C-alpha cells in the first residue's frame, strides 16, 4: 500500500477560557494526550484534545476577580508523518520518541506564544499522557512556574529525541530533570496503568526531588492510564495545585503534606476517594 503523509498543520492555542477580555495574571496551558503513531492517529489525537476540554473549562472557571486566569488547550501540529508504519511514522520506539519530541517542541512554542500575547505572566503546564511528558520537558522556559503531569507516558528505553527540544532523554534513556529546578511539580499516576509502568514516574520524581524540594507525586490506586475512575478527584487536585502555584493561594493539606514529606512518602501519596468534596 502506498504511503500517505498527513497534511501539515501548525501548532495553535485553542480558544481562551476564563478571564477572557481581561489581562490575565496567569495562564494555564493544557497539553492533551497525543494518541499513537500510524493510521488513525489524527482521529485519536482529536479525541484526546476533546477529552482535555472538561479540565480546561474547570480551570478557566476557577478564575477570580482578584486573580484572573486564562486557560488554553494546545493543539499539536500534524507533521508529515507517514501512515501505515512508514519511516516518518516509525515503529513503537522510533515513532513514539519522535512524536514525544514534537509535542514537547509544541509545548515550548505554546509558552512563547503566551508570552507574546499576554506578556510576563506565570504559566502552568498541565499535560496528560504524552502531554505530561511534553509538560515536564518544556518546564525549563523562564515563564513556567509549575507543571502537572497526569499519567505521563514515559518510556524506559526511549533514547532518541529531535534537536528542536532542549530537554530530551539523556544517556541511558532517562528523562531529564534539570529543567524542573525552581518549578512546582505535581505528578499523578494510576497504579493499574498498563500503558506506562507507574514506577517510571516514581523514579523520575525521585530524581527531580533531589534537585528541587517542590516536587510531589500522587498515586491513584486501582486506576488506569487515563485516570478516568477518579477523574473528579484528579481534577480537584489539579485545580488546587494550579491556583496555589499560580495565584498564591494556600495549597490543600494533602499537597502541603506531600511536598513536605521526605521520599518516598511524598512521592507515593495516595489520592483519597472523594477528594475535592472537602479540600481543606
Amino acid at each position: 500500500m502506498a504511503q500517505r503523509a498527513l497534511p501539515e498543520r501548525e501548532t495553535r492555542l485553542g480558544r481562551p477560557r476564563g478571564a477572557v477580555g481581561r489581562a490575565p495574571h496567569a495562564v494555564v496551558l493544557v497539553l492533551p494526550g497525543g494518541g499513537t503513531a500510524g493510521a488513525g492517529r489524527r482521529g485519536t489525537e482529536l479525541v484526546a484534545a476533546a477529552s482535555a476540554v472538561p479540565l480546561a473549562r474547570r480551570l478557566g472557571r476557577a478564575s477570580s476577580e482578584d486573580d484572573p486566569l486564562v486557560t488554553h488547550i494546545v493543539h499539536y501540529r500534524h507533521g508529515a508523518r507517514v501512515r501505515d508504519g512508514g519511516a516518518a511514522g516509525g515503529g513503537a520506539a522510533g515513532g513514539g520518541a519522535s512524536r514525544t519530541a514534537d509535542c514537547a517542541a509544541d509545548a515550548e512554542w505554546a509558552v512563547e506564544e503566551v508570552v507574546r500575547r499576554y506578556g510576563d505572566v506565570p504559566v502552568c503546564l498541565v499535560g496528560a499522557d504524552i502531554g505530561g511528558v511534553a509538560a515536564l520537558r518544556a518546564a525549563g522556559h523562564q515563564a513556567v512556574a509549575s507543571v502537572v503531569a497526569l499519567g505521563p507516558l514515559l518510556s524506559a528505553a526511549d533514547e532518541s529525541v529531535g534537536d528542536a527540544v532542549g530537554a530530551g532523554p539523556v544517556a541511558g534513556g532517562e528523562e531529564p530533570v534539570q529543567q524542573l529546578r525552581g518549578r512546582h511539580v505535581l505528578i499523578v499516576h494510576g497504579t493499574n496503568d498498563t500503558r506506562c509502568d507507574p514506577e517510571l514516574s516514581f523514579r523520575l520524581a525521585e530524581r527531580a526531588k533531589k534537585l528541587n524540594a517542590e516536587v510531589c507525586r500522587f498515586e491513584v490506586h486501582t486506576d488506569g492510564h487515563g485516570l478516568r475512575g477518579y477523574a473528579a478527584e484528579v481534577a480537584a487536585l489539579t485545580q488546587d495545585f494550579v491556583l496555589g502555584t499560580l495565584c498564591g493561594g494556600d495549597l490543600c493539606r494533602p499537597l502541603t503534606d506531600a511536598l513536605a514529606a521526605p521520599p518516598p512518602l511524598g512521592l507515593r501519596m495516595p489520592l483519597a476517594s472523594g477528594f475535592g468534596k472537602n479540600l481543606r
Side-chain angles (χ1 to χ4, degrees), residues 34-49:
T36 57
R41 193 192 69 206
R42 183 165 184 171
T44 61
E45 288 177 343
L46 292 174
V47 171

Side-chain angles (χ1 to χ4, degrees), residues 90-112:
S98 176
R99 186 60 185 147
T100 303
D102 286 347
C103 291
D106 290 347
E108 292 181 344
W109 174 90
V111 178
E112 289 287 351

